[in-house]
Amino acid sequence: MRPPSSLKQEFLKKWITGLQRCSSSKRNMSILERTKAIKLSADVAMASARNSTTCWSRALIANASKDGSDGKHLVEQILGLESERLMMKKASTGALVCNKRIRSKKILKRSCRIPRTRKCVPQVALATSIAKRMVRKRTQVLKSLIPGGEFMNEVSLIEETLDYIISLRVQVDVMRGLAGVSELVNHN
Amino acid sequence: MEPNTGTAETRSNGTASDGDDVAALESLQFTDEIHRLISATTTNNASSFTALLELPAPEAVELLHSPESAKLMAAPAPNIEDFKASFHFPSNSGLIERAARFSLFAGVGNNNNNTSNSPETPSNNPSANPQKAVKSEPAETESSEPLVSDPTVEKRCIKRKDREKKVKGSTKKSKTAMNESSEDAEKLPYVHVRARRGQATDSHSLAERARREKINARMKLLQELVPGCSKISGTALVLDEIINHVQFLQRQVEILSMRLATVNPRIDFDLDSIFTTESGSLMDSNFPSMVMPLVWPEVQVNGNRQQYQQQWHFDALQQAVWGREEVCNNYITPENSLLSYDSSANSATLHSNQMKMEL
């Protein structure tokens, strides 16, 4: 079981590594570039701190290390080449398997839906269908928020949001701490 | 028959409320075990209803839950401990998860139950997902259960009994015992769900019910994690809050990264050497002091989003300046006033001293 501070420390170390990599490459970066670099390295560091145990971390790293973006070098730096390859393999197979599963589930649902007939009171049916529609809309929005969320079913989506919220909080805390300290140092 | 007795004990523990029925229940459960053993020889019957189940992604569940339960207990401890005292229950989400698990099923000896069931049924699921299957149990005790080898026939008998209204008055809570514990134990093929009084004991509806309860348990955890959610009822509104929270956190990350970009002209943080040399103590004291102003409190959900931000508990600040869209400059002044805490000031001056020495 990992103590909480070690998660923060791990994230911080990986993040600083990534930032050093960024700063060594270019000299005069505009503020936007720097923002993006900081955010990217923070995200990748957070995802790698999960060690590919969660779907969102794999999806995040997969998105970051797409060919043609400078994220790839960053990911290599933070993760190390070997683990990056492992993670890419896991991410691709995971997505494929999830897609197949989702497709087969949809086919199954469609086939089961046809013979079933339900007799419901119209008002009750209306209320429940409205509620279901609302929930479905919101789950779609949530899927768009969580990295790699489109491939998950409802159960794993909720688990992924749990994990994602926790890691986001850790990330925000660490970043805020660093920002505060560095601002204080600069003012002195 | 050691595993069978273990199973019978756990189930009798779970139904300890019905003191009268325990003996009859035990006898029934022995017959259950016998049926399962008999049905283990017939391979195709079980797969007929297991194949129709909606089954979660085994990979994600398996991978997620063993580290996640550890992480849930480990990672949010500093954040959630800062919750306001309006929580009546332990706010550590690991504890909450454990409590949720235990509230759903018997509790004692469930791991025994897992290991006892897993060797029995691997042959039952040739084509279906080997992880879970739903098996119905009769809601109330009937001592005379006809010996049948087919689990589907068994369910038909149970349906008949329900219709005959031999069900006694007390309704039993449905238990997804194996459902929850199988995620951190070995893969368990059977999920035990208890049918409530008057509910269909269809294999479809049982599976749906098991799945729904799983989702509801997770949603409860999410509600406790996101501030301001535990008072809301209704899935759609809770999901609304969760979405807002995730968006807020993502926006925080962006704003903080912009802030860090404005702080130094190049991305060089010499502080890392400070952090590493100081060893864990200073960083631990540093982070909680930074974090302490920003607790994740239990907030009244108002319609106004600005108020939601402002009710965050800042000791030094009377009014929070957190808005959804902010210029970086606004953050500097609140942060500096926040940094006037004793512990943080000490650590910050230490930082600055070391920086000067290095330079």
Side-chain angles (χ1 to χ4, degrees):
Chain A
M1 218 185 290
R2 229 184 288 169
S5 58
S6 77
L7 181 64
K8 286 183 175 174
Q9 285 178 18
E10 197 181 321
F11 165 64
L12 185 67
K13 274 183 210 160
K14 292 192 174 172
W15 185 31
I16 299 281
T17 324
L19 287 177
Q20 282 172 345
R21 174 75 171 70
C22 279
S23 65
S24 62
S25 59
K26 300 182 191 178
R27 276 291 142 177
N28 291 325
M29 286 199 269
S30 72
I31 189 170
L32 281 174
E33 283 180 2
R34 271 180 288 162
T35 317
K36 276 186 201 160
I38 291 173
K39 180 166 188 290
L40 183 66
S41 48
D43 287 339
V44 171
M46 201 64 237
S48 68
R50 275 289 179 243
N51 277 332
S52 79
T53 47
T54 52
C55 194
W56 68 266
S57 57
R58 290 197 292 263
L60 211 152
I61 289 178
N63 280 336
S65 51
K66 278 184 199 160
D67 281 330
S69 70
D70 39 279
K72 194 163 191 194
H73 306 290
L74 200 67
V75 173
E76 280 175 15
Q77 175 86 8
I78 295 184
L79 284 179
L81 272 171
E82 284 308 313
S83 51
E84 186 219 346
R85 269 185 226 128
L86 270 173
M87 205 167 298
M88 292 308 296
K89 268 190 209 167
K90 255 192 176 179
S92 57
T93 52
L96 277 172
V97 167
C98 286
N99 276 337
K100 279 186 196 164
R101 201 174 289 123
I102 288 171
R103 244 180 280 139
S104 53
K105 271 192 211 168
K106 281 185 183 163
I107 293 169
L108 193 62
K109 271 189 194 170
R110 237 173 269 148
S111 65
C112 284
R113 205 178 293 156
I114 296 166
R116 275 210 231 174
T117 54
R118 284 196 187 162
K119 34 175 186 173
C120 302
V121 183
Q123 291 124 352
V124 174
L126 193 64
T128 49
S129 65
I130 287 175
K132 277 185 197 167
R133 214 177 303 143
M134 282 169 63
V135 169
R136 212 175 303 144
K137 265 193 214 166
R138 280 148 178 87
T139 46
Q140 276 175 11
V141 173
L142 194 60
K143 280 183 181 178
S144 67
L145 279 181
I146 311 273
E150 304 93 27
F151 307 120
M152 308 176 200
N153 58 349
E154 284 188 20
V155 182
S156 35
L157 183 69
I158 296 182
E159 292 162 358
E160 296 287 328
T161 50
L162 267 171
D163 202 65
Y164 189 56
I165 286 177
I166 291 171
S167 359
L168 273 179
R169 279 195 193 170
V170 169
Q171 195 175 349
V172 164
D173 286 342
V174 170
M175 287 173 86
R176 185 176 284 120
L178 189 62
V181 169
S182 54
E183 275 161 7
L184 194 72
V185 163
N186 275 7
H187 282 300
N188 283 350
Chain B
M1 298 248 284
E2 217 260 319
N4 288 337
T5 55
T7 322
E9 277 170 15
T10 58
R11 277 200 230 128
S12 59
N13 281 340
T15 61
S17 53
D18 311 298
D20 310 323
D21 308 324
V22 165
L25 197 72
E26 274 176 355
S27 67
L28 183 70
Q29 285 155 0
F30 276 121
T31 55
D32 262 4
E33 295 296 332
I34 293 169
H35 299 158
R36 207 169 297 125
L37 284 177
I38 293 170
S39 62
T41 60
T42 68
T43 54
N44 288 330
N45 298 323
S47 63
S48 61
F49 64 91
T50 55
L52 295 173
L53 290 177
E54 276 214 34
L55 298 162
E59 239 186 317
V61 167
E62 183 194 338
L63 286 173
L64 188 59
H65 270 79
S66 41
E68 178 186 308
S69 53
K71 276 163 196 166
L72 275 179
M73 296 184 64
N79 302 324
I80 293 182
E81 278 161 7
D82 299 330
F83 268 30
K84 271 191 182 159
S86 54
F87 273 168
H88 305 300
F89 43 85
S91 45
N92 188 358
S93 66
L95 281 177
I96 290 167
E97 187 183 48
R98 268 189 290 154
R101 253 187 256 148
F102 281 123
S103 68
L104 284 176
F105 56 90
V108 181
N110 270 305
N111 290 327
N112 300 336
N113 212 349
N114 291 343
T115 52
S116 69
N117 275 330
S118 47
E120 288 177 3
T121 52
S123 59
N124 265 350
N125 304 316
S127 58
N129 190 315
Q131 256 202 350
K132 290 172 188 172
V134 174
K135 204 161 161 107
S136 72
E137 293 177 351
E140 291 296 332
T141 66
E142 284 297 328
S143 52
S144 65
E145 172 140 348
L147 273 176
V148 283
S149 58
D150 196 351
T152 55
V153 175
E154 198 180 69
K155 284 181 188 160
R156 268 181 252 135
C157 297
I158 296 159
K159 259 190 179 168
R160 237 181 285 133
K161 283 166 200 161
D162 275 359
R163 275 186 235 126
E164 287 169 13
K165 304 267 180 177
K166 286 183 187 171
V167 172
K168 292 186 185 160
S170 61
T171 58
K172 291 197 182 155
K173 290 207 174 115
S174 65
K175 297 175 188 174
T176 55
M178 302 312 119
N179 203 352
E180 300 298 330
S181 52
S182 67
E183 276 133 18
D184 46 8
E186 285 89 350
K187 299 175 195 176
L188 186 70
Y190 275 109
V191 172
H192 291 275
V193 182
R194 207 159 275 261
R196 286 201 192 123
R197 172 185 183 168
Q199 284 190 347
T201 48
D202 230 24
S203 65
H204 296 276
S205 45
L206 276 171
E208 277 179 35
R209 201 179 314 139
R211 185 173 161 269
R212 246 183 284 143
E213 283 174 6
K214 212 173 153 196
I215 290 179
N216 287 338
R218 305 282 188 284
M219 288 288 294
K220 253 187 247 171
L221 279 178
L222 264 177
Q223 272 187 295
E224 272 131 24
L225 194 63
V226 175
C229 248
S230 46
K231 295 181 185 162
I232 306 178
S233 61
T235 318
L237 297 172
V238 168
L239 280 173
D240 258 346
E241 284 300 318
I242 291 167
I243 287 171
N244 281 330
H245 194 62
V246 169
Q247 280 173 340
F248 167 70
L249 285 172
Q250 283 176 340
R251 221 167 300 183
Q252 281 286 94
V253 169
E254 281 182 34
I255 288 171
L256 278 169
S257 62
M258 206 182 302
R259 207 172 131 197
L260 279 166
T262 56
V263 155
N264 26 12
R266 322 178 285 120
I267 314 179
D268 55 345
F269 291 96
D270 287 329
L271 304 170
D272 66 328
S273 57
I274 296 174
F275 284 136
T276 47
T277 52
E278 266 325 303
S279 77
S281 60
L282 186 61
M283 195 155 66
D284 286 346
S285 67
N286 190 14
F287 279 116
S289 63
M290 298 292 173
V291 166
M292 190 175 24
L294 185 75
V295 294
W296 307 92
E298 176 81 6
V299 196
Q300 297 286 338
V301 178
N302 307 315
N304 196 356
R305 281 289 138 200
Q306 287 294 327
Q307 273 188 333
Y308 175 91
Q309 304 301 330
Q310 285 174 9
Q311 279 175 22
W312 287 49
H313 176 59
F314 291 100
D315 288 340
L317 291 178
Q318 297 308 316
Q319 293 162 5
V321 195
W322 307 93
R324 284 295 174 108
E325 58 283 323
E326 287 275 355
V327 186
C328 298
N329 300 330
N330 283 351
Y331 284 103
I332 297 179
T333 43
E335 279 301 317
N336 279 337
S337 59
L338 288 172
L339 290 173
S340 64
Y341 292 105
D342 288 347
S343 54
S344 61
N346 287 339
S347 60
T349 51
L350 262 170
H351 283 301
S352 55
N353 287 338
Q354 282 197 332
M355 285 287 292
K356 284 175 190 166
M357 279 164 55
E358 278 183 23
L359 298 170

